[in-house]
């Protein structure tokens, strides 16, 4: 299925969380042969963490089949099993995160239509669990897709809904996560006041974030990731000096321990330096990018290589560019 803003927006037609008749509202009288307890919930969470860590390091193209197999062969029978109301809510929330991971991996692999469907399923599971943060995170996944593909109206609508659903949360990392997405969508739409306001709110939230990450997807939103996203929003708004400062801040001060993330930041930094006319610094950053990108299976990394090569073609004859072009072609 082709990715479309209409499909993403159709998810918003679901009733509010409190209006949904959830399977978790009462004890589930499912298959008596499959009883689900805290052990199964813990297993889903642990597998999501392990598989998510691998994907964050090596890209969504690695081992997505393991996530799908675990989801269909192990987890699906538990959803149809018997459990108490409390366990049911925990189970559906945990599975929502696993399904979201499958969607993220599909998108990072380049299959955007499949990713949308996973995000929609993640949203519905989160709604059944009554988890506002997971609902907002699933919508954010589709908002980012809309941003990446230039669906401006859908991007704004979805990101606004992320913020609305998260309004009662008290985790500063989560609030910064959704506010930054809204700022990105608004910048894409040319709405500078909204972009600036959302970006300032995100900064205020991330500066209040605890040192230790939470358990959820949004709870792992770090200052380094915020600095990278903010830098790219500022670049979209035309402030290249501030954009470069934010990206260097993300790399040099806060690290970025995930190789995939670090590679993308280095690629973006090279692009911004080139826009500023600093060819030498751009080439140096791109060499670091290629060092980091080798072996990563991610459509974002692949696209970054292609964009870099397109710009290098226009710089043929510049001495420091030739070796970089050869390395990029080999990768």
């Amino acid at each position: 299925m082709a990715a479309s803003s209409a499909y993403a927006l159709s998810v918003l037609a679901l009733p509010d969380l409190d209006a949904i008749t959830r399977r978790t509202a009462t004890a589930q009288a499912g298959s008596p042969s499959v009883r689900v307890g805290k052990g199964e919930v813990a297993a889903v969470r642990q597998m999501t963490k392990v598989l998510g860590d691998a994907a964050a390091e090596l890209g969504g193209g690695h081992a997505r089949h393991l996530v799908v197999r675990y989801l269909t062969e192990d987890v699906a029978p538990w959803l149809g099993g018997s459990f108490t109301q409390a366990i049911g809510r925990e189970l559906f929330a945990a599975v929502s995160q696993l399904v979201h991971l499958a969607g993220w991996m599909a998108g990072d692999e380049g299959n955007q239509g499949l990713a949308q469907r996973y995000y929609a399923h993640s949203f519905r599971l989160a709604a059944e669990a009554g988890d506002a943060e997971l609902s907002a995170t699933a919508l954010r996944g589709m908002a980012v897709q809309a941003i990446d593909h230039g669906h401006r109206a859908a991007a704004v609508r979805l990101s606004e809904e992320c913020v609305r659903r998260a309004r009662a949360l008290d985790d500063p990392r989560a609030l910064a996560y959704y506010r930054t997405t809204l700022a990105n969508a608004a910048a894409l739409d040319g709405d500078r006041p909204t972009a600036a306001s959302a970006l300032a709110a995100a900064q205020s939230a991330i500066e209040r974030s605890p040192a230790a990450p939470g358990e959820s997807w949004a709870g792992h939103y770090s200052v380094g990731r915020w600095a990278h996203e903010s830098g790219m929003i500022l670049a979209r708004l035309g402030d290249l000096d501030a954009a470069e400062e934010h990206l260097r801040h993300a790399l040099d001060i806060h690290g970025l321990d995930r190789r995939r993330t670090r590679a993308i930041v280095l690629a973006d930094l090279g692009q911004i330096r080139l826009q500023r006319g600093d060819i030498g610094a751009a080439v140096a950053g791109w060499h670091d990018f290629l060092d980091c990108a080798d072996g990563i299976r991610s459509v974002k990394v692949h696209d970054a290589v292609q964009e870099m090569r397109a710009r290098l073609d226009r710089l043929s004859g510049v001495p420091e560019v030739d070796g970089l072009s050869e390395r990029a072609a080999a990768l």
Side-chain angles (χ1 to χ4, degrees), residues 70-141:
Y70 179 64
L71 183 61
T72 56
E73 295 183 5
D74 294 88
V75 176
W78 295 342
L79 292 175
S82 59
F83 40 76
T84 65
Q85 176 181 342
I87 291 296
R89 288 182 179 274
E90 290 186 33
L91 176 65
F92 276 68
V95 177
S96 174
Q97 283 193 282
L98 179 64
V99 173
H100 186 98
L101 173 62
W104 182 87
M105 294 177 79
D108 200 46
E109 198 176 30
N111 194 333
Q112 301 304 329
L114 181 60
Q116 274 192 344
R117 295 204 296 277
Y118 276 123
Y119 287 145
H121 283 303
S122 177
F123 179 85
R124 287 171 170 84
L125 287 162
E128 290 204 50
D131 194 309
E133 182 178 326
L134 293 178
S135 295
T137 300
L139 293 177
R140 181 193 176 274

Side-chain angles (χ1 to χ4, degrees), residues 31 66-67 96 134 149 190 223 236 253 282 306 321:
S31 171
L66 294 179
V67 177
S96 174
L134 293 178
H149 292 276
V223 178
R236 195 188 293 275
I253 297 178
Q306 298 305 317
V321 167

